Structure formats: C-alpha cells, structure tokens
Amino acid sequence: MDQDTLLLTVAVLGGTGKEGKGLAYRWAKAGYQVLIGSRTPEKAITAAGEIIELLEGLGSVVGMSNQEAAQHANIAVLSVPYAAHRATLESVKDSLQGKLLIDVTVPLVPPKVSKVQMPPAGSAAQEAKEIVGDGVEVVAAFQTVSYELLLGEAAVACDVLVTGTSKNARKEALKLVEAAGLVGWDAGPIENSVVVEGLTSVLININKQYGSTHAGIRITSVDRPA
Ligand SMILES: NC(=O)c1ccc[n+]([C@@H]2O[C@H](COP(=O)([O-])OP(=O)(O)OC[C@H]3O[C@@H](n4cnc5c(N)ncnc54)[C@H](OP(=O)(O)O)[C@@H]3O)[C@@H](O)[C@H]2O)c1
C-alpha cells in the first residue's frame, strides 16, 4: 500500500454481521486500520476480537458504536440488512459529511429474496445518497460477493462491480476491492447500481437451483489486472 492508503481508517457499520466481518477481516489483513461499528458497542468489541483472532493478532481492528466508527473513519462501509438501511444511515449521516460511503446493502425484501424488488429511489445506494445528501460521495460495491468467500483463504474468482457518484469515489473504492483480494471494475454512475444490486437476487436464484451457496459474476473479454 502507498503511504496515503496506510493512513486510511475504514469503518464497517454493521461489521458484526456476516458480510461486514468478512470485509473487515480482509482489509485488516491488508494493513488497513479497521473500526467495527454496531448498535451495541460490546457486540462490536467481541466481533473485533474474533477478527484479530483470525488474524493471529496481526492487525488493527477496534469495535465501537456505529456513530463513533463513522466519526473516526475516513471511509465508511455500510453492511446491514435493507430493513435497517435508512435508520442506520440517519444515525450516522452527520459524521459522514465530507467522506466516502461504500454501500454493500442489497434491497432484499424477505421472504422473496430471489426476486428483484428495488426501492422507489432506484436502488439502496441511490436511497443512501438521498439520505446522506450532497456532502457525501456514495459508492455501491460487493453486493455479489458472498461472506463465505471473504472469510475463506482461497482466491476469490468472482469480480466486484463498482458504481458511484464520481469517478474519483469509484477509484477510491476500487483500491479497497483490490486490498480485499478481489478484481473490481468501474461500472459507472450510481444509477447503474440498480443492475448490480439486482444481480444478488439472480445469484440467489442460481444458488437455489444449482446447489451452490456462493455463485458470483466475472467480467470476460477485458484485460484483467495482473
Ligand atoms: N451475507 C452475504 O453473503 C452478503 C453478500 C453480499 C451482500 N450482502 C448484503 O450485505 C448486507 C449485510 O448482510 P449480512 O449477511 O452481513 O447481514 P446480517 O449479518 O444479518 O446483519 C449485519 C448487521 O446489521 C445489523 N442489523 C441487523 N438487523 C438490524 C436491524 N433490524 N436494525 C439495525 N441493524 C441491524 C447487525 O449489527 P448490530 O446488531 O451489531 O448493530 C448485524 O450484525 C445486506 O444488505 C446483504 O444483503 C450480504
């Protein structure tokens, strides 16, 4: 990592959950300072301890409330069920001003999670942008990567499509994709997140029909990063 990257602190809001913990583990392993956020600080402290254990003590992971994590981070990653999306964003939006928010949330509507059901804003990421306002750059990423792959040690074959409010925001998020050991692609403006978020239901469908637990997507016919 370059010197600028080393100084970055990444908060994973909802990092006590499956996907958030997987991402936090990968970034801490890559050398980032990671803050785990939760509605319950004690739960975040326990999750941080579990990640440090996975890392055999080598890594910087600290647990705290979502609000504290958002306040102390340069980049915040939101990884909560869609039902908790608006309330979590409302609770941290003041602390996010001037920062980058990476939204991992998929707007699944149980019980029909294998059917695409987008919110009126277009996508969860677009809804996030409406909630946090113009002072926050919003990127959507990681929706098609299963937590099981993130917590595993094997190379991950599926790609990450990154959409967001500016080219620069997408570039910053792509650095985190690479740090997590994945190949990412700039997939354009945040309006395109509707397609990427929708792919999750498509992949859930494929998992159910073909007996997998972590189907993914991969871009072909483009030179892949070395
Ligand atoms: N699981 C995957 O493989 C996967 C893959 C790609 C994308 N995603 C997306 O990533 C997001 C997180 O998925 P996940 O599987 O990690 O979810 P999860 O484990 O069910 O929940 C993540 C965290 O969200 C918080 N949370 C749960 N219910 C809440 C509520 N009602 N109100 C406020 N906070 C609540 C909890 O944190 P605290 O209790 O600590 O506050 C929980 O630990 C989802 O939108 C999911 O669709 C998941």
Side-chain angles (χ1 to χ4, degrees):
M1 283 197 291
D2 59 36
Q3 199 57 34
D4 289 348
T5 302
L6 274 171
L7 298 173
L8 287 180
T9 299
V10 181
V12 185
L13 313 176
T16 53
K18 300 180 282 292
E19 185 78 357
K21 204 183 280 179
L23 290 168
Y25 166 63
R26 293 233 163 194
W27 289 325
K29 196 175 174 184
Y32 281 83
Q33 297 178 58
V34 178
L35 309 178
I36 299 290
S38 168
R39 291 167 295 176
T40 314
E42 295 73 26
K43 198 173 159 185
I45 291 165
T46 302
E50 287 166 6
I51 296 168
I52 295 276
E53 208 166 297
L54 282 175
L55 293 165
E56 296 174 350
L58 298 172
S60 169
V61 189
V62 182
M64 57 191 69
S65 70
N66 281 326
Q67 289 79 4
E68 280 179 291
Q71 202 178 335
H72 294 300
N74 308 101
I75 298 176
V77 177
L78 179 62
S79 181
V80 294
Y82 180 62
H85 187 246
R86 176 172 291 277
T88 309
L89 283 168
E90 294 283 6
S91 74
V92 296
K93 72 175 180 186
D94 290 345
S95 303
L96 294 180
Q97 298 306 310
K99 298 178 182 173
L100 170 63
L101 171 69
I102 300 178
D103 199 350
V104 180
T105 308
V106 181
L108 298 177
V109 185
K112 297 201 168 172
V113 295
S114 55
K115 176 175 144 181
V116 177
Q117 299 177 81
M118 286 297 155
S123 65
Q126 285 173 284
E127 196 172 340
K129 179 65 185 164
E130 285 182 6
I131 296 167
V132 297
D134 288 341
V136 182
E137 295 267 26
V138 179
V139 162
F142 300 105
Q143 294 88 347
T144 55
V145 184
S146 161
Y147 80 95
E148 293 177 50
L149 298 172
L150 296 172
L151 283 169
E153 296 304 324
V156 181
C158 66
D159 291 350
V160 177
L161 299 179
V162 175
T163 64
T165 46
S166 73
K167 181 118 191 123
N168 199 41
R170 297 193 293 273
K171 195 172 147 198
E172 287 306 310
L174 282 164
K175 288 184 196 167
L176 281 173
V177 174
E178 190 184 346
L182 296 154
V183 172
W185 302 96
D186 183 333
I190 195 153
E191 286 76 8
N192 293 0
S193 61
V194 60
V195 174
V196 189
E197 291 180 16
L199 276 173
T200 301
S201 290
V202 173
L203 294 171
I204 292 170
N205 241 301
I206 289 172
N207 280 336
K208 279 186 183 163
Q209 294 186 72
Y210 297 92
S212 171
T213 53
H214 44 262
I217 57 134
R218 190 175 169 97
I219 299 301
T220 61
S221 303
V222 186
D223 287 342
R224 298 180 70 79

